[in-house]
Amino acid sequence: MSLLDDVSIVVTPNGYKAGTLYAVKPTFALGSELVTNGDFAIDANWTLSSGITYNVSEYLDFNLSSGQAKNTPNITFVAGKRYQVVYEIKNYSAGTIKFRFQNGINTIGSVQSGDGVKTENIICLDSSNNNFQFFGSASFVGSIDNVSVKEYTAADMDVTRATAATRVDENGLVNYAE
């Protein structure tokens, strides 16, 4: 049995040596924006529980005993896929907040506090998740703004044209193609 019969993912190798496949490493990429009204420019697209209010054209204000702000973008998040979540906490004075995909099995991000931009890479646990929300603790007082959720993907490859080509020979040595 050769190594080519035993790989668990499809690859297009650019070189082969007994027991080793050489391939181009994918580059980092993000999918399209999945949030509707993440800058809170209008009073829409978010379902707010008691204690959370729109500060229109600005942010969402949390001043509550506990509660959630939910956005339903009408898409299905895919189990096993990674999503990059970015948001900013402003005007923080107390408590904690966390992001979560909600429905089915909740996929929960890190507990956050303090002002600043928060970036999390979260793997969705359940394809029945079709919305996401911010869930404030029993004492969260602060605001969130500039919410972004994008699928984390990898491009096929990063290619620069008009450069010298190389290959790996049967001895594992890199050779320049003529």
Side-chain angles (χ1 to χ4, degrees):
M1 172 180 267
S2 97
L3 177 66
L4 293 174
D5 296 327
D6 195 35
V7 294
S8 61
I9 59 172
V10 176
V11 295
T12 304
N14 12 14
Y16 174 78
K17 173 178 117 177
T20 306
L21 289 175
Y22 297 95
V24 175
K25 180 181 175 187
T27 59
F28 168 79
L30 291 173
S32 60
E33 182 61 59
L34 302 174
V35 175
T36 306
N37 192 28
D39 61 358
F40 307 105
I42 58 173
D43 184 0
N45 304 106
W46 290 82
T47 304
L48 309 177
S49 63
S50 176
I52 304 172
T53 56
Y54 276 102
N55 187 326
V56 178
S57 298
E58 303 267 344
Y59 39 77
L60 282 185
D61 280 324
F62 286 70
N63 188 0
L64 58 138
S65 56
S66 71
Q68 62 189 16
K70 180 168 60 174
N71 185 289
T72 307
N74 285 332
I75 64 163
T76 300
F77 295 97
V78 179
K81 294 267 184 180
R82 184 171 22 161
Y83 295 87
Q84 183 179 71
V85 178
V86 179
Y87 58 97
E88 183 176 4
I89 297 177
K90 296 179 174 180
N91 309 316
Y92 174 81
S93 65
T96 60
I97 194 166
K98 60 188 166 192
F99 174 91
R100 72 180 181 187
F101 293 108
Q102 195 263 334
N103 269 5
I105 300 171
N106 289 334
T107 302
I108 300 172
S110 300
V111 173
Q112 302 284 353
S113 63
D115 286 342
V117 175
K118 312 300 180 182
T119 301
E120 300 181 58
N121 289 306
I122 302 171
I123 296 174
C124 186
L125 299 176
D126 185 356
S127 287
S128 68
N129 291 309
N130 58 13
N131 65 70
F132 54 86
Q133 64 185 230
F134 286 92
F135 187 78
S137 69
S139 60
F140 183 71
V141 178
S143 307
I144 60 167
D145 194 9
N146 302 316
V147 178
S148 172
V149 178
K150 296 179 179 180
E151 183 181 338
Y152 181 95
T153 62
D156 293 336
M157 64 181 70
D158 190 14
V159 177
T160 304
R161 296 194 183 276
T163 59
T166 61
R167 68 178 182 86
V168 178
D169 67 17
E170 63 277 357
N171 296 316
L173 300 174
V174 177
N175 296 310
Y176 287 95
E178 297 291 327

